[in-house]
Amino acid sequence: MKISTRSRYGIRALISLALSSDKGPVPLKEIAAKDGIPFMYLQKLAAPLVSGGILRASRGINGGVWLAKPPEEIKLSEVVNILEGPIMPVDCIAEMEDCFRAPYCASREIWYELKTAIDGVLESNTIKDLADRQVRNESLQADMYSI
């Protein structure tokens, strides 16, 4: 099971916006170039993030996107759900009737625990948390090369 490119790129773009929140609207082309995200792909990600209330967008010469709410209020679970839907390690977590063994299946219990753990991590981390980590990691890398 992997988190898709949609979520990885979407979260990467949101971190970038959190780190440049004082700039006003940021053009998608700027985010794409800075973060190594294909521009056309980023355009497709922006639409559901706007309709999901994570981003705001404006067109025109000074247009771009910006966070619709403070980064500390944007949980990773919200972003992943908008871009992918709920994470389900196996189908029988959501639809017990898909498998006649589901009511007594021991491995289903483990898949449910896995889903609960993933949901917990995504729910307890925000875009601000990741932006702070990004700043810390970049600082550590700069310190490493300044020795």
Side-chain angles (χ1 to χ4, degrees):
M1 178 179 75
K2 291 183 179 181
I3 298 294
S4 78
T5 302
R6 286 178 62 83
S7 288
R8 291 191 343 262
Y9 283 177
I11 289 170
R12 189 184 305 172
L14 294 174
I15 293 168
S16 187
L17 285 168
L19 293 172
S20 61
S21 62
D22 58 338
K23 287 178 57 176
V26 180
L28 286 176
K29 282 188 179 190
E30 185 178 314
I31 298 167
K34 179 178 174 260
D35 293 310
I37 303 170
F39 174 66
M40 299 296 279
Y41 198 86
L42 187 55
Q43 281 184 306
K44 291 178 183 176
L45 295 178
L49 292 171
V50 169
S51 63
I54 302 292
L55 290 180
R56 291 207 174 123
S58 64
R59 295 180 185 258
I61 193 142
N62 294 317
V65 294
W66 65 96
L67 298 178
K69 52 189 174 182
E72 60 271 12
E73 293 179 16
I74 303 171
K75 294 181 180 184
L76 299 183
S77 58
E78 183 179 10
V79 177
V80 171
N81 278 322
I82 288 169
L83 294 175
E84 298 196 42
I87 292 181
M88 293 291 166
V90 292
D91 292 336
C92 65
I93 298 293
E95 304 292 333
M96 279 184 64
E97 56 274 358
D98 285 351
C99 178
F100 72 93
R101 296 174 39 96
Y104 58 87
C105 181
S107 58
R108 181 179 181 275
E109 293 173 10
I110 294 299
W111 304 139
Y112 185 78
E113 288 177 30
L114 177 63
K115 178 196 175 350
T116 301
I118 292 169
D119 289 346
V121 169
L122 294 175
E123 185 70 20
S124 66
N125 284 280
T126 67
I127 293 299
K128 169 112 172 59
D129 296 329
L130 290 183
D132 291 345
R133 287 182 187 207
Q134 185 70 34
V135 168
R136 182 195 69 217
N137 291 348
E138 288 173 358
S139 176
L140 289 173
Q141 184 177 9
D143 289 347
M144 187 172 76
Y145 288 109
S146 67
I147 296 175

